[in-house]
Amino acid sequence: VLQPPFEERWRFRTGDLVSGSPAVADGFVYVGSRDSYLYSLDLTTGSQRWRFAARDRIDTTPAVAGERKRRHKLYFIRFIWEH
């Protein structure tokens, strides 16, 4: 169980707004940005491991599946439509 006080360990700057939450799995942090990239970051250091160029901005939280041997499937969508 996490107990406060919490402290910031690192920051990572994307090229635009991040509107979704990061997803964490197996030592990685995955975050999508309106700069049209999905980033993979090291959980401990915050350093970028790779980035994927999507065709358009990413406004949602990535979903992670297949947590085996550090191989993950990532799912993300451009936007959520509300009516």
Side-chain angles (χ1 to χ4, degrees), residues 14-31:
T14 67
D16 204 342
L17 178 71
V18 173
S19 56
S21 299
V24 178
D26 196 26
F28 296 94
V29 178
Y30 301 104
V31 62

Side-chain angles (χ1 to χ4, degrees), residues 26-76:
D26 196 26
F28 296 94
V29 178
Y30 301 104
V31 62
S33 172
R34 287 189 177 180
D35 67 1
S36 302
Y37 285 100
L38 176 70
Y39 295 91
S40 173
L41 310 175
D42 182 275
L43 177 63
T44 303
T45 66
S47 62
Q48 180 178 312
R49 301 189 50 94
W50 53 259
R51 69 180 185 172
F52 171 78
R55 293 185 180 176
D56 207 343
R57 70 187 199 194
I58 302 170
D59 290 324
T60 59
T61 301
V64 182
E67 293 185 45
R68 294 184 318 185
K69 297 182 183 175
R70 300 175 78 101
R71 296 182 59 108
H72 304 119
K73 291 182 183 178
L74 300 164
Y75 301 91
F76 59 93

